[in-house]
Amino acid sequence: QVQLVESGGGLVQAGGSLRLSCAPSGRTFTGYTTGWFRQSPGKEREFVAVFRWSGGDSFYADSVKGRFTISRDRAKNTVYLQMDRLRPEDTAVYYCVASSSRLIVSRLRDGENYDSWGQGTQVTVRD
């Protein structure tokens, strides 16, 4: 369990972009699996994207693939979610998540496998 500090949410017009950032407090992401889930009113939380620091591979929900890009800056010990061509249906609270281990692929999309969750940042996309 680690405290996650996330930022970058906001209100944008459809078609616009935002970049979310997430970093741990007091430690590094070495060996971690990190990324984002999101949740909007009336919906279950949804896997968005994650990045495995060991191996440097990334995974995306079908709904965001091609529009969102997850990346890392090892020097800054930070993971980013670049969100382009945003749509109103992307409106949600985005939660940075982390597992202190390299999750196997079959476990990546289940939020219960992440032991650290950020407080969330609101992303609102207007028509």
Side-chain angles (χ1 to χ4, degrees):
Q1 187 176 3
V2 61
Q3 181 180 347
L4 300 173
V5 181
E6 59 179 311
S7 62
L11 191 156
V12 297
Q13 295 292 324
S17 298
L18 287 171
R19 188 177 73 163
L20 306 183
S21 301
C22 180
S25 178
R27 62 189 302 165
T28 72
F29 275 143
T30 302
Y32 274 59
T33 305
T34 65
W36 279 268
F37 282 66
R38 67 187 182 187
Q39 187 166 27
S40 58
K43 295 183 178 180
E44 295 183 351
R45 67 186 178 191
E46 176 187 20
F47 166 83
V48 179
V50 298
F51 184 90
R52 298 197 296 192
W53 285 64
S54 180
D57 48 0
S58 57
F59 305 83
Y60 299 92
D62 289 342
S63 60
V64 307
K65 200 166 189 176
R67 299 187 297 117
F68 292 9
T69 304
I70 192 167
S71 63
R72 69 176 172 186
D73 186 327
R74 288 187 288 187
K76 296 181 179 179
N77 193 38
T78 300
V79 63
Y80 302 95
L81 185 68
Q82 178 67 42
M83 305 184 294
D84 296 321
R85 302 189 300 281
L86 284 161
R87 305 165 179 168
E89 53 263 42
D90 294 317
T91 295
V93 176
Y94 284 69
Y95 295 93
C96 182
V97 301
S99 168
S100 59
S101 67
R102 183 178 183 270
L103 293 176
I104 62 175
V105 172
S106 63
R107 298 187 183 276
L108 290 171
R109 299 171 187 267
D110 185 349
E112 296 298 322
N113 292 316
Y114 297 87
D115 55 1
S116 299
W117 288 70
Q119 292 301 304
T121 185
Q122 177 70 46
V123 171
T124 302
V125 185
R126 296 183 182 273
D127 277 315

